[in-house]
Amino acid sequence: ISENNIFETISKQDFVLYHPYDGFDVIIDLLREGAIDNDVSEICITMYRMDHKSPIVDALIEAARNGKKVTAIVELKAKFDEENNILLVTKLRSGGVNTVYNFPKFKVHAKLCLITRKEKTGIARYSHIGSGNYNAVTAKIYGDIGYLTANPEVGLELADLFSAIINGVQEKETKHLLVAPKTLKQEILRRIDREISVHQKTGRGYLAFKLNNLEEKEIIQALYKASMAGIKIDLNVRGLCCLRPGIPGVSDNISVISIVGRFLEHARIYYFRNDAQDEVLIGSSDMMFRNLNERIEVLLSVPDPYLRQAIFENMLKISLRDNVKARRLL
């Protein structure tokens, strides 16, 4: 993304970023340009774990001082970062940024940014949805995925979601976003069932997931069911995995590896072959009880078919082929 006007570039095509292999400077530059662009009217962002001298925070404060409506949703209860996040709220508020925090029922763990811009053709919305905190330090050592798009449907859904979180209203039905705790779990289960139906007709069902932790009981039971139906399932679970692969007649079609290497594997990617109409989900959520029931999480169904294939081939499959750092769960 190298043209002078980053908004013009994103308006022409979607981009997927895989940090740290792709630089985080793209996101910093996006917000810096948004801060000084006369056509940008509003910026909304979620904050979970931020660096102490954050260029993102500086850009948001500059945007607010330039008269833009800027809202930061700050999760105070991010473990070990509570004090830092309280200080962060103070800094943002003193800089003119509207801060929203203290959600007693849910942690806001989703990684979202939305920039609203007035253009000749009307209101344009630039969305960033990913797995990584907007943290310039950890972006150099965490393997995270992010998606940039000017897709108007995605932008409108994200705008409605921000409004729901900020104003405490019921979020609307969504086509591109899977949102916990309302729809995400049910939508994952529905997609696994869809894969079983496809496999029963074609024999070509396939699932592949990359995530931090797999612990949620109903998701695991659904994966067992898919395995028993004959579907091959490849899982890359970095940490906690409560699914047992290789049980005869139950999970003998499931393979589980973990990769612990130079970078912290932090991306979440969910692939469903779906009768060659591949679907790829990326975002913030693991398959744990807390993610699906006690947090606001977002997965994006990637709209661009070329980028779906790129994510599957160059980010997901390449890790499943690892023969150096991978440890296999038996």
Side-chain angles (χ1 to χ4, degrees), residues 37-52:
D37 188 307
N38 292 330
D39 295 322
V40 167
S41 58
E42 186 173 359
I43 301 173
C44 293
I45 192 168
T46 59
M47 294 185 162
Y48 194 73
R49 299 187 193 280
M50 301 300 293
D51 34 337
H52 287 281

Side-chain angles (χ1 to χ4, degrees), residues 41-263:
S41 58
E42 186 173 359
I43 301 173
C44 293
I45 192 168
T46 59
M47 294 185 162
Y48 194 73
R49 299 187 193 280
M50 301 300 293
D51 34 337
H52 287 281
K53 296 180 179 178
S54 169
I56 298 286
V57 171
D58 291 344
L60 294 174
I61 290 171
E62 183 179 4
R65 287 174 178 162
N66 288 336
K68 287 123 186 24
K69 182 181 178 184
V70 183
T71 304
I73 297 172
V74 182
E75 180 48 72
L76 296 181
K77 301 185 296 295
K79 191 161 61 175
F80 307 126
D81 278 295
E82 296 91 344
E83 182 180 0
N84 185 39
N85 285 356
I86 291 167
L87 295 172
L88 173 63
V89 166
T90 305
K91 182 175 181 179
L92 288 166
R93 280 189 156 180
S94 65
V97 175
N98 176 37
T99 54
V100 182
Y101 57 92
N102 190 23
F103 302 89
K105 292 184 180 178
F106 306 112
K107 272 190 177 183
V108 181
H109 188 253
K111 321 298 183 184
L112 311 168
C113 181
L114 179 67
I115 299 177
T116 304
R117 194 168 184 260
K118 297 172 185 173
E119 299 180 355
K120 291 177 182 176
T121 53
I123 296 295
R125 295 179 176 88
Y126 295 85
S127 307
H128 178 260
I129 299 165
S131 66
N133 303 307
Y134 291 98
N135 186 313
V137 175
T138 58
K140 295 176 182 177
I141 52 175
Y142 283 24
D144 269 311
I145 191 166
Y147 196 86
L148 280 168
T149 182
N151 182 305
E153 291 183 359
V154 173
L156 197 55
E157 288 184 13
L158 194 52
D160 287 339
L161 178 59
F162 268 114
S163 179
I165 297 170
I166 293 164
N167 302 311
V169 297
Q170 187 82 2
E171 69 257 35
K172 299 177 183 177
E173 294 297 318
T174 53
K175 171 184 169 186
H176 299 282
L177 303 183
L178 285 65
V179 183
K182 187 179 178 185
T183 63
L184 202 156
K185 178 179 167 183
Q186 289 71 26
E187 289 297 318
I188 294 289
L189 292 172
R190 185 177 69 78
R191 283 162 172 78
I192 295 171
D193 281 339
R194 180 185 67 188
E195 202 67 29
I196 293 171
S197 298
V198 165
H199 185 76
Q200 288 168 342
K201 294 173 189 170
T202 67
R204 295 197 299 270
Y206 177 66
L207 301 170
F209 296 173
K210 177 177 173 63
L211 63 166
N212 284 3
N213 302 295
L214 173 58
E215 168 261 5
E216 214 284 333
K217 188 175 179 181
E218 287 183 64
I219 301 292
I220 291 171
Q221 288 173 334
L223 291 172
Y224 285 155
K225 181 181 172 185
S227 172
M228 288 187 279
I231 295 173
K232 178 171 169 51
I233 302 169
D234 289 324
L235 303 175
N236 178 357
V237 187
R238 189 195 80 218
L240 185 69
C241 182
C242 296
L243 177 147
R244 291 181 60 198
I247 301 171
V250 177
S251 58
D252 35 10
N253 288 311
I254 304 178
S255 163
V256 183
I257 63 165
S258 171
I259 297 172
V260 178
R262 179 180 174 187
F263 302 122

